[in-house]
Each structure stands twice: as C-alpha cells, then as structure tokens.
Amino acid sequence: MKSVGVNGYGTIGKRVADAVSCQDDMKIVGVTKRTPDFEAQMAVQNGYPLYISAPEREGLFEEAGISVKGTINDLHDMVDIMVDCTPEGIGAQNMEVYKEKGIKGIFQGGEKQEAIGHSFNSFTNFKDAWGADYVRVVSCNTTGLCRTLKPIDDLCGIKKVRAVMVRRGADPGQVKKGPINAIVPNPPTVPSHHGPDVQTVMYDLNIITMALLVPTTLMHQHNLMVELESVPSIDEVIDTLEATPRVMLFEANRGAGSTAEIMEYAREMGRPRSDLFEIAVWKESINVDEGELFYMQAIHQESDVVPENVDCIRAMLEMEEDPDKSITKTNKAMGIVG
Amino acid sequence: MKSVGVNGYGTIGKRVADAVSCQDDMKIVGVTKRTPDFEAQMAVQNGYPLYISAPEREGLFEEAGISVKGTINDLHDMVDIMVDCTPEGIGAQNMEVYKEKGIKGIFQGGEKQEAIGHSFNSFTNFKDAWGADYVRVVSCNTTGLCRTLKPIDDLCGIKKVRAVMVRRGADPGQVKKGPINAIVPNPPTVPSHHGPDVQTVMYDLNIITMALLVPTTLMHQHNLMVELESVPSIDEVIDTLEATPRVMLFEANRGAGSTAEIMEYAREMGRPRSDLFEIAVWKESINVDEGELFYMQAIHQESDVVPENVDCIRAMLEMEEDPDKSITKTNKAMGIVG
C-alpha cells in the first residue's frame, strides 16, 4: 500500500484524492490547502488529514475553526509520492522542494514540459514513466486528444492531424473569468500550444492545432481532421473507439447533441461531482472523406486527467508494469466505462 | 433610378433598405412587415412607405396605430426588383408570387440553393447574375468564407480548404434561442452545409467544413486551414487581404483579441446599428506551415451580406457590368473600408 499526498486540494486535487482512495494499492495520507475555504472544510469532513501548504498561514485556519494535522513539511515525510495539483507554475517551484526532500512528484498540465522534463499519458507512454522521479500528466485537452488519436493511429496510421479546440472560458465555479459574450482566439496565433503538448507524449505525431475560448463552463470541444495512412470504414473507427477505455460514444439524435446534454447524462451516472472521466465522441460526427477522418469530441476539463494521475503513480512507483492492467484496475475502482 | 422593394423589414431587410437608400442609382419604394412591432413603427419613422405583407392582418396594424400605404400587392406593382428578407423558407414560397407578377427577386442565404436556382457573391460570380430573374445572396458565413478565400485563391491557388465554423447561438435581439451554456455541434455530422454552399458561388473549390453553435450573440468565428498550390509569404497574404475590399485586419495585441472587442471597434465607427460589414481577420493568426495557410476570422452575421444585396441588384437589373465598379460604388455610399 503506497502512501500518496495531494498538494493542493482544489479542482484536480480533490478528485485525485477520491480516485486514489478507491484503489486497493494506494492510499491518501494527507492533502494540503493554502486557504481555509469550504474545500478545506470538506477535505476534513471527507476524512482526509489536512495540512497547511503555507505554514505562516496557520492562524487563518485557526480563525476559521478548521483543524489541521500539521504543515506540508510534516506531510513530506510521510509520502511515497506527492501529486502536485497547485495552480499553474507553482508546481515547478514545488519540484525543487520535493528534490531537496527526496520525494517523487507528479505535476499537472499547467506546468511547462521544460520545467518538469517528462510528460505522461496512460495510453501513449506509460512505460516511459517507469520509476521516474518527476512527471507531468498532460492537460485535459491533450489527454482528450491522446485518448482518441492513439487508437486511431494504431488502427490505420496517422499522417497529419489538424484540430480546432473550442475551449470552455471558465470552470463552473470560476466567477472572475470570461468571456461572457465573445469568441476569443486563444492564442490569436497559429499553431496553439496543444499540438506540441501532444508531442510530449505521442513523440512522432504530426499535429497542428488552433484554439479559442467561448462563453461556457461545461466542457471543451474538439474538431478533429485526421489524414490517414490507410483508410478505414466508418464502422471500423466506431468499433475501435467503442472498444477504447475512457472513451464513450454519444449520439446527438438520442438527446446528447451538446456539451450540456452530455454533462446531464453524466449527472445521471451518479458519480461524485457528476464527473465524466471519459472522452465523449459524437458518433454521428465520425466520417471519412478523401482519406481523412473527421470527428468531434468533448472533454470534461475538471476530471478527465484524474485516472491518468492514478496510473502515473503506479508507473513511477513501479507498482504495475503493464499499462493495460493499470488502466483496467483504475477504471474498475472508479467505475469508469470501458 | 431603379425602384426596389424590401419584403420583410427585419434584421437583414432594414439594413438592405438603408444600404439601397444611400446609393444614387436605386431607391426604396416600399418595405413590408407582417407584424406591427417596433420595427414596423421605425420603418415609418425612417420614412419608408410601409406595406402589409399579410393583407388579412391589416386590423392589427390599425390597432397598433401604425399607418400603412397598402398591402404587398400594391408594392408588387411598383418595384423593378424585390429583395426578399423574409424568414428561412418563406422566400421560396414568395418566389412563386413574384413569378406570377413578373417581378425579379433577390433571396437570402436561408433559402435553399435548389429552390432559387442561382446564388451570388459580389467577388466570385457577379457576372453570372447578369439579367437574372431570381438569385440568392449566400449566407453570412458563406459570404465571409468567399471574401477571404477568393483573393487567396487568386494569389496562390487553393488545393483544399478545411474550415471549422464557430457560430453565434443567436442574434443580440433573439431571446428565445440558445445555447446559454453549451457547445452544440451543429450539425453533429461532418461535413456541414457551409462547404457545399460556398461551392454555389466558387464552383470548383475543394472545401470541407465543420460547424458548431456557442453561447454568444456578437459574431461568427471561422478557423481556416487552406492547402495551397503555391506557397506565399505571410506578408504576401497580409498585403493581399489588406488590399481586399470588405475585409479588415485586426490585431489582438492592439486590443482586438475577441469578437466583443471587434464589435466595440465597430461601435466607434459610428455606423447605423454599429454594424461591421467587413470581414474581420486576425492579423496574428495568419501563418503558413507545411505549404498550408492558417487564419482566423470573424463575421458580423447581421450585416456582412448587405453590400452584396446592393451589388446583386445592379447585376440583375443590368445597371453595372463591372463587379469592381459596383463594389466600389456600394462601398463608397455605405462608408465601407477598402
């Protein structure tokens, strides 16, 4: 039973804590918070030992009546690995501390590849993280691209990918971000960073991406145009994606014609936080034209990377050599389809 | 001086009426309304002779205190051409009436190509509408694609176009349409109708499109990926688009990084209704990679087709043989850039 810490019990951190807790080969020994907000309170209510990530702020937690087990320095001594879910850029700073303390660290997609040195996706390069000390799980969008592009590449070989990423402007709980009524090229330059980010885990893929922000909070949406080495039938692609773990096909004509309806479906699944860990592909959108595959998919930005974090722990702590076995084990424990 | 009627003084109709009124070779002899709403009142206030498009509804106009000149049957006898701006699908029904009455008709992009028989864009096929009786001005999105693809095709030849169209969910005044918080593949199938629609005016273009709806009211946004016969420099593309009438380049790093900021710019231009008749191309988005041109553009869905309607009148009534002269004349009268 490996001991896992979560540094930053926020959007990703709280989900990773829950996902680790339902595995039988690892456990959460502590989570950290910097601010005594309702998430800190709920970490305690949920039975997670809570540690303060900024020791000098202990007074704030006392004032808020939230009892803590200690500071992050105490937690450092207890973990086999720390899953760092702190905001973008903080993880890279924390890595220096983990190095000093001699503990392994997993970082999220907000950190730069160059800062961490190695990136991870369960399906594309699990084995390359074997025994590694510091690994970055790629972002929600990159994870979404890998989940469907890898099986397609295996099926018929990819010559070139073009993708337009229509991104949610903010998460549901973020009230200070926009846009409210605009489409924002983000970046306004081409290519966006998503293509190179995919290449950190699918090393030889030829991919170019464009990205924008739109006024929605529910999911990202991707439009894929994939030139292929050999041309499959539409049914072969459907069968392949249906057989791929962590991918679900949805039908617009069965009431799942938008990101809102897909998340409504997820709410009916009864999972914590109504999460959809799977990548949602619109079945009707799958088409092959002039040797090129087209499809549309949606990504639940708050949750899709969570099972990848669990698999990454197994690879880095040398707990399971076979990626498929780890994926299956993680999925079964989390109730993930496929 | 040619006599023009506008059937349907709504989003497009009221703008066409104003655009025709500022030309020196045509005039509005009447506009129609079906409902005595504020637009009907404003048509009268703006000095347009108002006719009832559904004669049986005359009582409603009397009740509302809106005085009319007569019914659409009276207007039919007065026009050289009717610009039909009625809702999608109604135009095709009206065409039968125009045929009976022996008057020419222009229709909007909501009508099906098969129903009208011929489509129009000022830059791509002006001359093909010469003397024609019934012509459809292509939709706002198709007009937007033509405005930039035609000069690029002239510059270096287009092998294939891929475009992802991120469409506004509703116009600013439409309160009953969604989505409020979702991304909607629309259609959820690939290709969307936009590619074939471009081919009704750029007959030989190889183009495939994907389309979605997002929660915004301001503009459509297009992501273009254009494989080329010969490869230009980025500066050549910029120079070409800067020299193209009815196209404007915007810079994200000068404060025009979104559709909202572009429409804010348009408001500063002081035009009626703060319209932006020009297609807005983000300058920074223009890039060439592996012989392929990438760029992003935005389309003011309520107004970009308006100057095309004016040019179409000139072609159908054989008023000006040279498309460039008509475009320049229309632009000058409307204060359009370029």
Side-chain angles (χ1 to χ4, degrees):
Chain A
M1 182 70 80
K2 298 292 185 180
S3 295
V4 179
V6 169
N7 193 6
Y9 188 81
T11 301
I12 299 297
K14 60 193 179 187
R15 289 171 165 91
V16 168
D18 288 356
V20 166
S21 297
C22 61
Q23 309 298 318
D24 65 9
D25 54 351
M26 57 184 78
K27 65 176 183 204
I28 294 291
V29 294
V31 304
T32 80
K33 279 295 287 183
R34 190 172 185 280
T35 304
D37 57 11
F38 77 81
E39 280 177 330
Q41 185 62 53
M42 288 179 129
V44 175
Q45 282 173 23
N46 291 338
Y48 293 121
L50 182 64
Y51 294 83
I52 302 179
S53 58
E56 72 279 9
R57 290 163 64 95
E58 196 158 357
L60 293 175
F61 282 72
E62 273 170 28
E63 276 173 38
I66 297 176
S67 67
V68 297
K69 298 282 180 187
T71 73
I72 191 166
N73 294 316
D74 304 313
L75 184 58
H76 285 144
D77 298 332
M78 300 161 58
V79 301
D80 295 307
I81 192 165
M82 188 75 90
V83 183
D84 192 299
C85 303
T86 55
E88 197 172 312
I90 307 295
Q93 295 172 26
N94 292 340
M95 186 166 77
E96 299 310 312
V97 179
Y98 305 149
K99 280 184 179 170
E100 276 175 37
K101 303 266 181 175
I103 53 175
K104 294 185 184 235
I106 292 179
F107 303 88
Q108 305 305 313
E111 301 308 315
K112 288 194 166 63
Q113 161 76 3
E114 310 84 63
I116 310 301
H118 184 73
S119 292
F120 177 87
N121 173 267
S122 303
F123 297 84
T124 61
N125 68 341
F126 180 100
K127 292 181 180 179
D128 295 349
W130 189 254
D133 289 332
Y134 302 104
V135 177
R136 164 183 172 266
V137 172
V138 291
S139 73
C140 54
N141 276 309
T142 304
T143 296
L145 290 169
C146 292
R147 288 253 187 93
T148 51
L149 289 173
K150 179 62 168 58
I152 290 164
D153 195 26
D154 290 345
L155 177 68
C156 43
I158 292 176
K159 275 202 270 195
K160 180 168 188 165
V161 179
R162 295 168 182 85
V164 176
M165 336 274 296
V166 182
R167 294 151 68 200
R168 63 89 183 91
D171 286 343
Q174 293 178 305
V175 295
K176 293 181 183 170
K177 289 181 76 176
I180 281 182
N181 187 10
I183 301 169
V184 188
N186 185 275
T189 50
V190 185
S192 74
H193 72 277
H194 302 92
D197 202 38
V198 172
Q199 289 163 339
T200 66
V201 290
M202 292 181 75
Y203 310 124
D204 301 321
L205 191 71
N206 184 359
I207 178 169
I208 188 160
T209 53
M210 304 170 86
L212 15 145
L213 296 177
V214 300
T216 183
T217 63
L218 295 178
M219 302 182 98
H220 300 299
Q221 192 269 1
H222 296 172
N223 302 280
L224 277 292
M225 292 149 273
V226 188
E227 288 189 87
L228 302 167
E229 297 284 352
S230 67
V231 182
S233 70
I234 292 171
D235 283 343
E236 280 179 290
V237 177
I238 289 173
D239 291 347
T240 299
L241 291 178
E242 275 184 340
T244 301
R246 300 182 194 167
V247 171
M248 283 177 75
L249 267 60
F250 284 86
E251 291 179 66
N253 68 12
R254 302 271 306 266
S258 68
T259 54
E261 290 152 287
I262 287 172
M263 288 314 296
E264 186 71 9
Y265 179 101
R267 293 170 74 192
E268 293 298 308
M269 294 171 85
R271 291 179 181 162
R273 305 180 186 85
S274 302
D275 283 340
L276 188 71
F277 304 109
E278 297 85 351
I279 304 307
V281 177
W282 277 282
K283 193 170 176 180
E284 293 101 324
S285 73
I286 300 169
N287 197 10
V288 178
D289 180 84
E290 296 187 3
E292 185 165 0
L293 172 65
F294 295 83
Y295 63 100
M296 292 167 160
Q297 66 183 22
I299 278 79
H300 186 216
Q301 75 278 0
E302 297 168 295
S303 74
D304 75 324
V305 301
V306 173
E308 256 68 9
N309 274 272
V310 174
D311 295 328
C312 191
I313 292 169
R314 284 208 190 88
M316 290 170 67
L317 297 182
E318 302 182 349
M319 296 163 68
E320 171 56 67
E321 258 185 290
D322 182 346
D324 291 338
K325 284 190 183 160
S326 177
I327 289 166
T328 302
K329 186 175 177 68
T330 303
N331 287 359
K332 197 174 166 192
M334 292 178 69
I336 293 177
V337 175
Chain B
M1 183 69 80
K2 297 293 183 181
S3 295
V4 180
V6 169
N7 193 6
Y9 189 81
T11 301
I12 300 297
K14 60 193 179 186
R15 289 172 164 90
V16 168
D18 288 356
V20 166
S21 296
C22 62
Q23 309 298 319
D24 65 9
D25 53 352
M26 56 184 80
K27 64 176 184 208
I28 294 292
V29 295
V31 304
T32 80
K33 278 295 287 182
R34 191 173 185 277
T35 303
D37 57 11
F38 77 80
E39 279 178 330
Q41 185 62 52
M42 287 180 129
V44 175
Q45 282 174 23
N46 290 339
Y48 293 121
L50 181 65
Y51 295 83
I52 302 178
S53 58
E56 72 280 8
R57 291 163 64 93
E58 196 156 1
L60 293 175
F61 282 73
E62 273 169 25
E63 276 172 35
I66 297 176
S67 67
V68 298
K69 298 283 180 188
T71 73
I72 191 166
N73 294 317
D74 303 314
L75 183 59
H76 285 144
D77 299 333
M78 299 161 58
V79 300
D80 295 307
I81 193 165
M82 189 75 89
V83 183
D84 192 299
C85 303
T86 56
E88 197 171 311
I90 308 294
Q93 296 171 27
N94 291 340
M95 187 166 77
E96 300 311 312
V97 180
Y98 305 150
K99 280 183 178 168
E100 275 175 35
K101 303 267 182 174
I103 53 176
K104 294 185 184 235
I106 292 180
F107 304 88
Q108 305 305 313
E111 302 307 316
K112 289 196 164 62
Q113 160 77 1
E114 311 83 63
I116 310 302
H118 184 74
S119 292
F120 177 88
N121 172 268
S122 302
F123 296 85
T124 61
N125 68 342
F126 181 100
K127 291 181 180 178
D128 295 349
W130 189 253
D133 289 333
Y134 303 104
V135 178
R136 165 183 172 267
V137 172
V138 291
S139 73
C140 53
N141 275 309
T142 304
T143 297
L145 290 170
C146 292
R147 289 254 186 93
T148 51
L149 289 173
K150 179 63 167 61
I152 289 164
D153 194 27
D154 290 345
L155 176 67
C156 41
I158 291 175
K159 275 202 269 196
K160 180 169 187 164
V161 178
R162 297 168 182 84
V164 177
M165 335 275 294
V166 182
R167 295 150 69 200
R168 64 87 184 93
D171 286 343
Q174 293 178 304
V175 295
K176 293 180 184 171
K177 289 180 76 175
I180 282 182
N181 187 9
I183 300 169
V184 188
N186 185 275
T189 49
V190 184
S192 73
H193 72 277
H194 301 93
D197 202 39
V198 172
Q199 290 163 338
T200 67
V201 290
M202 291 181 76
Y203 311 124
D204 300 320
L205 191 71
N206 184 0
I207 178 169
I208 188 159
T209 53
M210 303 170 86
L212 14 147
L213 296 177
V214 299
T216 183
T217 63
L218 294 178
M219 303 182 97
H220 300 300
Q221 191 269 1
H222 296 171
N223 303 280
L224 277 292
M225 292 148 272
V226 188
E227 287 189 86
L228 302 168
E229 298 285 351
S230 66
V231 181
S233 70
I234 292 171
D235 282 345
E236 280 179 290
V237 176
I238 289 173
D239 290 348
T240 298
L241 291 177
E242 275 184 340
T244 301
R246 299 181 195 168
V247 171
M248 282 176 76
L249 268 60
F250 284 85
E251 291 179 66
N253 67 13
R254 301 272 305 266
S258 68
T259 54
E261 290 151 288
I262 287 172
M263 288 314 296
E264 187 70 10
Y265 180 102
R267 292 170 74 191
E268 292 298 307
M269 294 171 85
R271 290 179 182 161
R273 303 180 187 86
S274 302
D275 284 341
L276 188 71
F277 305 109
E278 297 86 349
I279 305 307
V281 178
W282 277 283
K283 191 170 176 180
E284 293 101 324
S285 73
I286 300 169
N287 197 10
V288 178
D289 180 83
E290 296 187 3
E292 185 166 0
L293 172 66
F294 295 83
Y295 63 99
M296 292 167 159
Q297 65 182 22
I299 278 77
H300 186 217
Q301 75 279 358
E302 298 168 294
S303 74
D304 75 323
V305 301
V306 173
E308 256 69 7
N309 273 273
V310 174
D311 295 327
C312 191
I313 292 169
R314 286 210 188 87
M316 291 170 68
L317 296 181
E318 303 183 348
M319 297 163 68
E320 171 56 65
E321 259 185 289
D322 182 347
D324 291 338
K325 284 189 182 160
S326 177
I327 289 166
T328 303
K329 186 177 177 69
T330 302
N331 288 358
K332 196 173 166 193
M334 292 178 69
I336 292 177
V337 174

